[in-house]
Amino acid sequence: MPVLTYRTLLLTSLAMLAFAGNSLLCRLALRDTAIDPASFTAIRLSSGALVLWLLLQLGSKRLVLQGSWPAALALFVYAAAFSLAYLHLDAGVGALILFGSVQLSMSAWGLLKGERLNLVQSFGLSLAALGLVLWLLPGSQAPALSGTLLMILAGLAWAGYSLLGRGAGDPLANTAGNFLRAVPLALMMLLGFAGNWQLDGPGVVYAVLSGALTSGVGYAIWYAALKHLSAIQGASVQLSVPVIAALLGSLLLAESISLRLSLVTVMTIGGIGLVLRGKRNGTAAK
C-alpha cells in the first residue's frame, strides 16, 4: 500500500473538507431556498467548469484539457442523484449514505484488483464501518427510502469517478475536462425538468459556491491526492466525510453534538488512521 507523505495527507484533508462542504451547501440550498435540484446541478457543474477553465488559463504551464467521457458521465450521475437525494435527507445522513456506498464500492474494487489488508488495517476498516452503522441504529429518524436509493446511486457514481481519477494525468486538466463534458449532460437534465425551474439569489449563490469551490477546486485537489492513494485508502478516508459534515453542521447550523456523534467520530477517524498507517502484505493494485 502506498506510503503517505505530508503533502498527500494535506491534500486529502482539504478534499474531505470540500466534500463535507458540498453536503452542507446542497442541503442548505434545497431546504432553505427556492432553487430546484436540476437548476442547482446545472449551475454547480457550469460554475465548476468555468473556474477550472480559468485556473488552467492562468496557470504557469499551458495545459490542455484532459479527462474523459466515462469520468464526465460518472461525475454528472453523481451530481444529479446527489441533488435529488438532498430533497429528502439531512446533510449528515446523506453524507453517511453517500460515502458508505463509496467505501464499499472502492474497497471491493481494490480487493478484486489484488489489494490486501493486514490485521491492523482490517480492524481499522471494521472499526470505521461499525461507527457508521452505529449512527444508523434506532434512536434517530430513519432516512427516506427514495433519498437513500438516490444517494446510493450517487455513491456508486462517485466511486467510479474516483477510480477513474487514480490513473489520470494532470489533476487540474483532468478535472476541468470532466466538468466541461458534464455541462451538456446537466443542461439536458435541466431541459427534462422544464416547467419546474425555480431560482432565487441565495440558492444560486450556494450552487456557485458548491461548483466553483467545494466541487471544482476540491475535486482537482482530490485527483492530486488520489495519485498517491490505493483504492482502499481512497475509500477509507472518505468515511470521515459524514462525521465532518455533521460536525460542521453543528458549528454552522447550531445543531447539537450528541454522545453518539462523538463516539462515531472517534471510531471513524481512529479506524481510518489505522487503515492509512498500516502496511499491507502483498502487491497493491496498479
Side-chain angles (χ1 to χ4, degrees):
M1 195 166 282
V3 176
L4 302 183
T5 64
Y6 286 113
R7 179 178 180 275
T8 301
L9 289 173
L10 175 60
L11 291 173
T12 303
S13 299
L14 290 174
M16 296 307 102
L17 288 172
F19 295 168
N22 268 329
S23 289
L24 292 176
L25 287 169
C26 186
R27 178 57 179 161
L28 189 60
L30 296 174
R31 185 193 67 181
D32 295 345
T33 78
I35 196 168
D36 63 280
S39 297
F40 184 92
T41 301
I43 294 172
R44 178 187 178 186
L45 291 175
S46 299
S47 58
L50 176 60
V51 167
L52 288 165
W53 181 81
L54 289 174
L55 289 175
L56 273 183
Q57 303 310 306
L58 297 174
S60 57
K61 297 185 295 182
R62 300 297 293 180
L63 298 172
V64 297
L65 290 174
Q66 299 176 18
S68 67
W69 280 106
L73 178 60
L75 175 63
F76 163 71
V77 172
Y78 149 75
F82 182 88
S83 298
L84 291 168
Y86 268 126
L87 286 173
H88 312 285
L89 300 173
D90 291 336
V93 173
L96 173 63
I97 298 169
L98 174 68
F99 288 102
S101 302
V102 170
Q103 187 270 329
L104 290 174
S105 302
M106 290 185 67
S107 294
W109 179 259
L111 292 172
L112 286 172
K113 287 297 183 177
E115 295 181 19
R116 295 293 180 267
L117 302 178
N118 62 24
L119 184 61
V120 172
Q121 290 178 305
S122 297
F123 175 75
L125 186 58
S126 299
L127 182 65
L130 181 61
L132 297 180
V133 170
L134 176 63
W135 204 354
L136 288 179
L137 288 178
S140 60
Q141 195 172 35
L145 179 60
S146 57
T148 298
L149 294 176
L150 284 166
M151 198 59 87
I152 289 173
L153 175 61
L156 293 173
W158 180 254
Y161 184 75
S162 295
L163 290 169
L164 289 167
R166 292 183 64 224
D170 181 82
L172 182 59
N174 267 281
T175 309
N178 291 333
F179 264 75
L180 284 170
R181 288 180 177 89
V183 169
L185 300 176
L187 294 178
M188 290 173 61
M189 175 187 177
L190 193 61
L191 290 176
F193 279 76
N196 296 309
W197 300 344
Q198 298 183 68
L199 293 172
D200 64 359
V204 171
V205 169
Y206 293 144
V208 170
L209 287 175
S210 177
L213 185 60
T214 59
S215 293
V217 176
Y219 295 177
I221 292 173
W222 179 230
Y223 259 33
L226 275 170
K227 297 177 73 173
H228 306 285
L229 298 173
S230 71
I232 290 178
Q233 285 176 330
S236 299
V237 73
Q238 292 180 80
L239 287 171
S240 65
V241 177
V243 177
I244 297 171
L247 291 174
L248 288 178
S250 67
L251 291 173
L252 301 177
L253 305 178
E255 298 174 354
S256 61
I257 300 178
S258 65
L259 177 61
R260 175 180 289 190
L261 178 58
S262 300
L263 179 59
V264 168
T265 301
V266 172
M267 294 174 69
T268 304
I269 299 300
I272 291 170
L274 292 175
V275 173
L276 294 180
R277 288 178 60 86
K279 294 185 187 232
R280 179 188 61 82
N281 296 320
T283 303
K286 300 297 184 183

